[in-house]
Amino acid sequence: MTTALIFLPFAAAVVVWLLPLPGRAIGSLALLAALAEVVLWLVALFQFDFEQQFDFASPQLADRQSWFSDLEVSYHVGFYGFSFWLAGLAVVVSTAAIGYALWADRERARAYHGLLLFLLGAIVGVFTAQDLLLFYVFFEAMLIPLYVLVGVWGGARRLRATATFVIYTMAGSLLMLASIIAFGISQGTFDLVESGGSDSTWIFLGFIAAFAVKAPLFPFHGWLVDAYRESPPEVAAILSGVVSKAAVYGLLRIAIAKFGEPLDEFQTTILALAAIGLVYGSLLAFRARDVRTVTAYSSMAQMGLIVIGLFSLSEIGLNGAILQSVAHGLISATLFLLAGMLELRGGTSAFAALGGLARGRPALATILMTTGVIALAVPGSVAFAGEFLILVGVYGVGWGWAAVGAGAIVLAAMYMLRLISGVLHGRRGPAATDSARDLRPAELALLVPLVGLLLFLSAWPAAITERSFPIDFPDEAAQAQAEAEP
Amino acid sequence: MISTPKVDWFALAPTLALLGASGVALLGAVLVPWWLRRGLAAFVTFGGFVTAGVLAGYVFDRSEEEQELLVQSMTRDRLGALAAIIVAGAGALAVLVSWGERRRDHQGEYYALLAAAGAGMVFFVTASNLMTMFLGLEWFSIALYILCALDTHRETSLEAGLKYLIVGSFGSAILLFGSALVYGATGELGFSAIAAASGEDEYLLLAGLAMIIAGLGFKASAAPFHMWTPDVYQGAPSSVTAFMSAATKVAALVLTLRLLVVAFPEQEHLWTVAVAVVAVASLAVGNFAALVQRDVKRLLAYSSVSHAGFMLIAVAVNTELGARALLYYLIPYAAGSIGAFAVVAARERELGVPVTLDRLEGFGWERPFLGVSMWIFMLGFMGLPLTGGFIGKFYVFSAAYEAGWWWLVIAGVAATAVSLYYYLAVIRTMYMRTDADLRPVVAGGSPPRDPLLAGAVAVAVAVTVGSFVFVQPLIEWAHDAAASLPF
């Protein structure tokens, strides 16, 4: 099942690359493949046993095949509750992105859609990998299509953006590779389920380097703005919404699950970096002048918050981090796609050129308003639920962290409200002409499911929080025990 | 009656097949009508390489125990057989790449020399005696000197040939001198006999060892013995460069491994460090020099220097895992190397001028298949996943870490990071310039069709990607081959 979920996009990518069809047809085919992937994920959702006690030693829907035996490397994939939600996020956001690419009618559609599908396969692979080398393979495999997608179809300064992006990412990844080798050789296996823990600070830091760049964590965020600004909007949506979550999975599955002592040693440092990222990113977002940059920096801030949740090392904080990951993925994907739609209309998403777009464009106004309000974490929204859990979790580590986090919610309100008013209200800018029409039905078809999911999770955040790290319900456990006794 | 040693013709069969092909091609150059020469020579040479590969496969299959043949002059074992298979594969691909090369004369001779060089390499990797080693080395080197200089109407080709001849002979001379010193110290020529003989004169032996390492370093184009590499790779006909970069490296590194492990186990503490230093020097020189290259063949030449560094890491660790890593590494490296030079050759034939980075602009969109293939070869050289290059680097680093050489892992990782820049530069120019940036380089016309070259590139892609997926069988072969060395 998991294997099918990984290789369906890869197979679809190859088909899309090879079939000599015109642009729209190939885009439709790619969208169809992505929808099939969504269906496959839903099927897996029903197969997944959320009642089963969470345990890193027993991934579900697992597949295992020896890859090369002398170093004990295997193709081993499987899901945990939390990674299942991250994979779902990846599938949904990528489908929306592919739909957007079809709508925007990209040049060289075969290459483009094939790369998007390839990227999806790699991302799902990252979220399921249970072998360190396999994890690295998928982790790097994400970079290859991203490099081309940004480098070929990106904005005017795309070469610079890709160069920075690749240098940062690869520097982190190669350190991780060294760590993987050190970890695997000293454990005698590269399998994550079979291997034990390690106390090596250096190995730990190698992993942290890769994830800190990917997230990104302050001060490893140098690549972020250029990459998010120069990408095509749908790629930016995937990059900020989903690819950054690879860091969440890595931190949780490797750094937190495998390293006991170094974790305690560096908890404060990482929390501090995350908190700085949260505040600094929020401030930068407040100063930014267009929708994309606001979303980019808010992404950085949100990732800081998620990392705070992870490194609270408490169950409630971890639950919050996963919920917030999903919420942020959906929010930032929606905002980037919206930014792309605004750019299609006026050629820019700068606040100076926009404004007053609410008048006569009810659909745009509603979607942006809803997303924005959820993003600034009004009570009752899914982002609020996530942030609340994270803050409660980290309160156990120290009240100061919780205070910083709470302060950041205020900052989030500042930049999100500024974004909303900059686009929708105020005076009409030069790009906000009458030819900039309301969202078309096709665009709504992309955005409404994303916003709908956000509203659904706002109404029922427990859908994720109770199913990320499921524990036995006490009474059932007792019952089972009673039955087992002779 | 002179008693002659028993000759194991089966073990010699791959070499003889190539020698035979070479002879037929050479005779064909004289005896058959001119319009048939190229076809005949190419066909016979291709057949020779394929036959040699198949025969080497048989030898591999039937040589579970290593045997010393002909008074310790050569070894029949799986290590030599595996290296012969890789060399033969590289040679067969090189024939396909060569077919489309426009050459006014010397068609038959070209292929005859290619087969002769292949025969020399196949012989060289089985050498287990300082004399046969030198013989094999000169055998394939002389063939390569001529091949480099074969395009006599091109000044750069002549320059490449001359440079290779002079520097290569210098390297050979050092190797020979070193061999003489080792013989002087031990009184033995056979590799295993050298190990058994307790050297009275330790310093003489060490001086000899150092000179032998240097001499082999010339052939492997490891820094600081690499000076000829960029000029020769640039000047030689691209198909020759393709063959040379893949096959010579295989032969030189496999023999280096065999010689050091079999003949000098006592001096292990010294040569491991020496080889490690050479490896790091190659990584540094190769990668940093490649950063500033504009000519793609020069760039790939420096890249080949840096890969010599990665492979020497595997030699330096002196463990069975290291040997396995080296043998595995050679497979995707050889495929990628031939493939990349084949793509360059295709562009060269299209434009009729040397290929610089600028002249690759837009190439990826014009020739989608070759473009994507080049992408894959560059990924392989970078050591990114979905190519065997990644697994190769992973094995090399693992071997280094397992043996406790963690600083070699760090050096390798740093070198990989630097190498990204120039490999990605190739991709960048092929795909990422907008039409507005493009400077027109071609004067109309459609690119020449060259199905054989495309076929060779396809095979190289298949090996590069296939070696990533099917690691287990390859590593088992490497394991069997490495088992014939006394670790």
Side-chain angles (χ1 to χ4, degrees), chain A residues 440-451:
Chain A
R440 318 299 303 157
E443 292 170 319
L444 282 174
L446 297 175
L447 295 177
V448 167
L450 294 178
V451 178

Side-chain angles (χ1 to χ4, degrees), chain B residues 156-176:
Chain B
T156 48
S157 172
L158 289 173
E159 185 197 326
L162 188 65
K163 198 164 247 169
Y164 195 21
L165 173 67
I166 294 173
V167 181
S169 308
F170 184 63
S172 301
I174 290 183
L175 182 73
L176 192 59

Side-chain angles (χ1 to χ4, degrees), chain B residues 5 28 35 49 106 122 147 152 154 169 191 206 213 219 242 251 266-267 279 331 352 360 381 393 396 402 410 467 471:
Chain B
W35 50 269
F49 274 117
H106 309 307
V122 170
L147 278 173
T152 42
R154 271 197 309 122
S169 308
F191 290 174
L206 289 184
I213 291 178
K219 287 297 154 194
E266 299 288 318
Q267 291 76 25
I331 296 167
L360 273 181
F381 286 155
K393 276 191 181 160
V396 168
E402 191 212 38
I410 301 296
S467 58
V471 181

Side-chain angles (χ1 to χ4, degrees), chain A residues 124 213 231 253 264 333 462:
Chain A
V124 175
V213 170
S231 308
R253 184 68 192 88
D264 292 336

Side-chain angles (χ1 to χ4, degrees), chain A residues 16-42:
Chain A
V16 163
W17 278 327
L18 295 182
L19 272 189
L21 293 176
R24 292 278 185 184
I26 214 76
S28 314
L29 188 66
L31 185 59
L32 220 57
L35 288 171
E37 177 84 352
V38 175
V39 172
L40 207 57
W41 182 79
L42 287 173

